[in-house]
Amino acid sequence: MNDKPQAQYVRLGDLKFDPRYQRTDNINQARVNDIAKNYDPAAVGAIYVNRREDGTLFVVDGQHRVLAMRKKHANDIGENYQMLALVYDGLTIVEEARLFWHQTKRTAVSATDQYTARVAAEDPRMCEIREIVESHGLKISRNRGKNQVGFIKQIEDRYKKHGAEFVDEAIGIMADGCRMGSSYPTVFIFIAICELLRNYDPGQYDVDTLIKAIAKLNFEAFNKQAAGFVMMLGSRDRSLCQALVIAYNKTTKGGKLPDVNTLGGVRKRSK
């Protein structure tokens, strides 16, 4: 990557966005309006731009500022407005995505949008998580619905703590249970499954029974039941696990799982 961008003014009408690593829909219009109303170039600073090999200028960081200037100057100089930019020359799309990812780590960019950028940047961890999720017929998305997964932060947290095999098992159980019950995956079910896998040995439970228990769940009732255990168990995660244990015990025709609060410690899983 060329790590020495040049400061220069660029024409507003020449700037483009690449949807492969940053969103071009569902823009935070309130933020755009606020920037347009209170814009101070000296305080906001330069946007980051890459000039690709064909000469096209793509905004890497500064999307809301560009949209704000298009709004602010729509009735005067419009697309001829000049914006201060730090311009790279000849970055690849992967390098653009990496730069976007690093520039937006401390901003309000959502975890799902960060995921999109990191996949485009060929981040190994996110690419493996995507492969795991999609292998079970699911897709990481900011939308909520059947076969849609939006809780990428929680998935990455478990990946970092327990490894790819653990996450693959948890997502597989969740996907099969939701598919059998014609419901959509939720972060609460995912956390509950992860906690059950952590707290109980494989010989204590039957995976097929666990999947059937998930398929039968009324998610609203499940969440309310879990909330009732928080004071006793001390954490939301253990409370969700306890609610899933109860659902499992109602479904199983074999041995029942002991309550979470009777366990001496958390079973360790190696990566």
Side-chain angles (χ1 to χ4, degrees), residues 223-243:
N223 292 338
K224 287 182 178 179
Q225 184 180 40
F229 297 130
V230 172
M231 290 294 291
M232 177 179 67
L233 296 175
S235 78
R236 181 195 65 167
D237 292 2
R238 287 172 64 81
S239 299
L240 289 166
C241 181
Q242 178 60 35

Side-chain angles (χ1 to χ4, degrees), residues 60 70 79 140 147 182-184 198 205 218 236 269:
V60 178
R70 286 178 177 169
E79 299 290 84
I140 296 173
N147 298 327
S182 299
S183 56
Y184 54 81
R198 290 179 64 234
Y205 60 87
N218 176 305
R236 181 195 65 167
R269 282 213 175 193

